[in-house]
């Protein structure tokens, strides 16, 4: 990593001067100041010298914290504190700060999971990445086009993952063609974009989905930020393989579900019993569960559409007990001052008290309170899909299923098993929320009534 000592003289005195200590931290950042003071005391800079921000100095401090059992979320505070110092006092270039914050990720693997595949500190790797990726307000040191991109995505209420992915590709595009100055974007043509996308396919050999994500990010910038048409793109596109969905047999699905327990068993039961996508399930709120009409409501699904899902009768009792415990947890959160939840669009401004109401809380809440990466508020988010994927992988191994199954496999199995039971394809399309019937038709390839259900002529010949 780049040595960050160079060019970091904020003043003639430097931060080593006592009268400057902690003055750049806001009152709400008390713990960042505490951790920065510990970091400064660890290195003991001489009077008048800046606190060292090179790779070795940061790693040494983080290693000591890790070895002493300091949890990931507290080490995040250390990195946030160092970020504030670097940007506000030492005037470190933003690209160096990004590299410096990335140091923490070197120490995450040991915190990822215990032997059961569950995060040892009750959090997930995704939680950490999310908090680091967009720590609150838009960074004014980023290229203006990136700031405008973030603002546009947030204004359109698109997900944090979309923001992270698009920003990543746009930053790579900027670096590739030296587009750090706003005026330089006037020189960008469709040929420039074609060259970038072709390099991804030819030199980097990326998957078709990866190249398409990069294309969507650049198209978004052109249409929503630059207000320009990109024009017809004639880049060499990565070949998209035609795949049929992986499906479990009913016996395999039953065996797999039997390896889950507690809240995770409710989640896997909904994935298979209602055909939901993993994030649709994890984002369910209390108000979306209707025990009277036996319906689950999915809001803002893929394509920003709402739909109704099947409510499996078998999980009613377990889900009711879970919500009773969830309500007690929420009441404790309220008492601790962290009972607010993220609300979509402008609902939190329109109905200030709604974020504290139980009906708006997530059904499947995270095991710990975390910092909202955009607002900076401490609140309880929903369980991470990364966490559930780790639990799912462990369950597949325990069930001794040889297929490379993942959480989305349960949705494929839901559709295929309905088709096997004689449900019509249009009904399945509606339950899955597919806009195009051709998307749903792929399940006919794996259904027992489709090609895979045809009897082999060898079996007929041999009397099978």
């Amino acid at each position: 990593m780049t040595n960050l000592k160079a060019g970091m003289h904020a003043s003639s005195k430097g931060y080593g001067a006592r009268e400057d200590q902690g003055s750049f931290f806001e009152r709400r950042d008390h713990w960042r100041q505490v951790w920065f003071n510990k970091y400064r005391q660890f290195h003991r800079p001489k009077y008048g010298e800046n606190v060292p921000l090179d790779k070795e100095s940061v790693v040494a401090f983080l290693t000591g914290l890790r070895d002493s059992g300091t949890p990931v979320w507290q080490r995040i505070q250390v990195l946030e504190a160092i970020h504030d110092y670097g940007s506000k006092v030492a005037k470190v270039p933003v690209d160096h700060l990004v590299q410096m914050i990335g140091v923490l990720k070197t120490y995450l693997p040991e915190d990822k999971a215990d032997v059961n595949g569950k995060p040892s500190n009750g959090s997930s790797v995704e939680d950490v990445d999310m908090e680091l990726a967009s720590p609150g307000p838009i960074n004014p040191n980023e290229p203006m086009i990136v700031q405008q991109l973030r603002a546009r995505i947030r204004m359109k209420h698109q997900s944090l993952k979309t923001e992270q992915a698009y920003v990543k590709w746009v930053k790579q595009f900027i670096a590739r063609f030296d587009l750090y100055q706003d005026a330089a974007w006037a020189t960008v043509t469709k040929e420039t974009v074609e060259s970038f996308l072709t390099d991804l396919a030819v030199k980097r050999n990326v998957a078709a989905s990866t190249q398409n994500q990069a294309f969507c990010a650049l198209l978004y910038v052109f249409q929503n930020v630059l207000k320009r048409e990109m024009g017809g793109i004639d880049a060499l596109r990565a070949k998209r393989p035609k795949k049929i969905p992986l499906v479990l047999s009913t016996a395999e699905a039953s065996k797999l579900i039997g390896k889950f327990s507690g809240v995770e068993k409710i989640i896997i039961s909904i994935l298979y019993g209602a055909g939901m996508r993993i994030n649709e399930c994890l984002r369910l709120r209390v108000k979306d569960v209707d025990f009277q009409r036996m319906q689950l409501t999915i809001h803002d699904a893929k394509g920003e559409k709402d739909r109704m899902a099947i409510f499996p009768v078998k999980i009613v009792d377990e889900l009711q007990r879970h919500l009773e415990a969830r309500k007690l947890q929420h009441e404790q959160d309220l008492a601790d001052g962290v009972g607010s939840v993220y609300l979509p669009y402008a609902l939190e401004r329109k109905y200030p008290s709604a974020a504290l109401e139980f009906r708006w809380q997530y059904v499947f809440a995270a095991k710990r309170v975390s910092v909202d990466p955009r607002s900076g508020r401490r609140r309880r988010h929903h369980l991470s899909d990364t966490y559930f994927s780790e639990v799912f992988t462990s369950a597949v191994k325990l069930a001794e299923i040889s297929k490379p199954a993942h959480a989305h496999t349960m949705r494929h199995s839901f559709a295929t098993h309905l088709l096997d039971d004689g449900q019509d394809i249009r009904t399945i399309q509606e339950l899955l929320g597919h806009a195009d019937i051709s998307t749903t038709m792929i399940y006919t390839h794996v259904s027992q009534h489709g090609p895979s259900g045809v009897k082999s002529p060898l079996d007929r010949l041999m009397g099978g």
Side-chain angles (χ1 to χ4, degrees):
M1 184 173 295
T2 306
N3 188 300
L4 302 178
K5 286 182 178 176
M8 290 170 38
H9 300 287
S11 67
S12 58
K13 295 180 181 179
Y15 185 71
R18 293 182 180 179
E19 56 267 33
D20 291 334
Q21 293 179 9
S23 60
F24 57 93
F25 287 105
E26 299 178 14
R27 286 190 177 185
R28 63 183 177 84
D29 298 328
H30 167 72
W31 285 108
R32 293 189 192 180
Q33 180 174 336
V34 169
W35 280 113
F36 185 79
N37 286 339
K38 290 179 181 292
Y39 178 77
R40 179 179 56 77
Q41 292 165 7
F42 178 82
H43 290 294
R44 296 183 179 278
K46 295 180 180 179
Y47 185 86
E49 289 185 354
N50 282 317
V51 177
L53 295 183
D54 57 285
K55 173 183 175 181
E56 290 74 18
S57 299
V58 177
V59 167
F61 187 64
L62 291 176
T63 300
L65 293 180
R66 182 197 62 191
D67 293 345
S68 65
T70 303
V72 170
W73 67 271
Q74 288 185 322
R75 282 182 270 155
I76 290 173
Q77 289 179 335
V78 175
L79 269 291
E80 290 172 343
I82 293 174
H83 175 278
D84 284 0
Y85 171 75
S87 61
K88 297 177 182 178
V89 178
K91 306 299 182 184
V92 179
V94 64
D95 57 332
H96 290 179
L97 280 174
V98 170
Q99 288 181 328
M100 180 176 64
I101 289 179
V103 170
L104 180 59
K105 296 182 180 180
T106 305
Y107 301 90
L108 288 181
E110 296 180 29
D111 295 311
K112 275 186 179 179
D114 60 18
V115 292
N116 296 317
K118 296 183 180 180
S120 57
N121 61 348
S123 65
S124 74
V125 180
E126 185 193 49
D127 294 333
V128 176
D129 287 342
M130 189 166 65
E131 289 172 0
L132 285 173
S134 180
I138 295 173
N139 186 348
N141 293 318
E142 287 184 314
M144 183 55 66
I145 198 78
V146 174
Q147 295 182 49
Q148 293 171 338
L149 172 62
R150 289 191 189 275
R152 188 67 182 177
I153 288 174
R154 296 180 188 187
M155 187 181 74
K156 291 169 72 69
H157 311 291
Q158 291 172 292
S159 72
L160 181 61
K161 284 189 174 182
T162 298
E163 180 179 331
Q164 291 171 341
Y166 282 15
V167 166
K168 179 191 75 172
W169 286 115
V170 171
K171 284 186 174 180
Q172 288 190 28
F173 188 73
I174 289 172
R176 170 72 173 78
F177 298 103
D178 194 19
L179 301 172
Y180 292 97
Q181 301 300 320
D182 291 349
W185 281 83
T187 66
V188 175
T189 63
K190 77 180 189 73
E191 287 76 20
T192 313
V193 177
E194 288 173 356
S195 172
F196 181 73
L197 295 176
T198 298
D199 281 353
L200 290 179
V202 176
K203 295 183 179 179
R204 295 175 56 178
N205 195 30
V206 301
S209 57
T210 302
Q211 188 196 43
N212 191 58
Q213 187 185 70
F215 172 75
C216 290
L218 296 176
L219 181 64
Y220 191 97
V221 169
F222 270 76
Q223 293 181 341
N224 295 281
V225 180
L226 298 175
K227 305 297 183 182
R228 286 170 48 190
E229 288 300 320
M230 187 185 288
I233 298 298
D234 192 27
L236 180 64
R237 304 303 296 269
K239 187 176 180 180
R240 185 183 295 273
K242 293 183 178 180
K243 297 181 178 179
I244 60 174
L246 174 68
V247 174
L248 300 179
S249 67
T250 52
E252 287 172 328
S254 176
K255 188 177 182 181
L256 177 60
I257 293 172
K259 298 301 178 184
F260 286 81
S261 62
V263 65
E264 289 83 6
K265 186 170 185 179
I266 301 175
I267 294 172
I268 191 68
S269 298
I270 290 177
L271 295 184
Y272 175 69
M276 287 190 188
R277 300 177 179 92
I278 179 62
N279 280 324
E280 291 173 349
C281 180
L282 296 179
R283 291 171 183 165
L284 281 174
R285 298 179 189 257
V286 174
K287 68 180 183 61
D288 300 329
V289 181
D290 189 337
F291 288 100
Q292 300 300 318
R293 301 184 65 188
M294 290 301 293
Q295 289 180 332
L296 299 173
T297 304
I298 302 170
H299 293 286
D300 290 330
K302 194 173 183 179
E304 299 183 359
K305 296 178 294 183
D306 294 355
R307 74 175 192 277
M308 306 303 295
I310 298 174
F311 192 157
V313 177
K314 291 291 186 181
I315 67 167
V316 169
D317 291 341
E318 275 188 283
L319 187 55
Q320 285 180 329
R321 287 194 295 270
H322 169 71
L323 287 177
E324 289 170 3
R326 180 72 185 90
K327 188 171 185 180
L328 293 176
Q329 181 186 49
H330 175 57
E331 290 171 353
Q332 183 60 53
D333 285 345
L334 288 173
D336 295 339
V338 290
S340 136
V341 70
Y342 163 78
L343 294 183
Y345 308 110
L347 285 176
E348 193 163 5
R349 290 194 299 273
K350 190 173 182 180
Y351 306 109
S353 62
L356 300 173
E357 296 175 9
F358 180 59
R359 67 192 186 99
W360 281 100
Q361 303 301 309
Y362 290 112
V363 173
F364 305 113
K367 299 182 185 301
R368 68 178 179 93
V369 173
S370 60
V371 177
D372 186 320
R374 286 179 174 170
S375 69
R377 298 177 62 180
R378 293 183 68 238
R379 54 190 11 160
R380 193 177 296 277
H381 201 52
H382 59 69
L383 273 178
S384 158
D385 57 352
T386 304
Y387 161 74
F388 186 78
S389 295
E390 292 172 345
V391 176
F392 187 92
T393 300
S394 297
V396 170
K397 292 179 181 178
L398 289 172
E400 298 180 339
I401 294 174
S402 58
K403 296 175 181 177
H406 45 78
H408 204 71
T409 301
M410 307 311 292
R411 178 173 161 89
H412 293 324
S413 302
F414 163 85
T416 305
H417 295 168
L418 284 182
L419 204 56
D420 290 343
D421 289 341
Q423 288 291 340
D424 66 278
I425 196 74
R426 288 289 182 183
T427 300
I428 297 173
Q429 176 193 3
E430 185 176 345
L431 290 172
L432 293 175
H434 288 162
D436 193 332
I437 189 67
S438 63
T439 307
T440 318
M441 289 295 291
I442 194 171
Y443 295 108
T444 61
H445 293 281
V446 289
S447 168
Q448 291 178 357
H449 299 311
S452 64
V454 176
K455 191 171 185 178
S456 168
L458 177 63
D459 293 334
R460 188 179 297 109
L461 179 68
M462 303 298 291

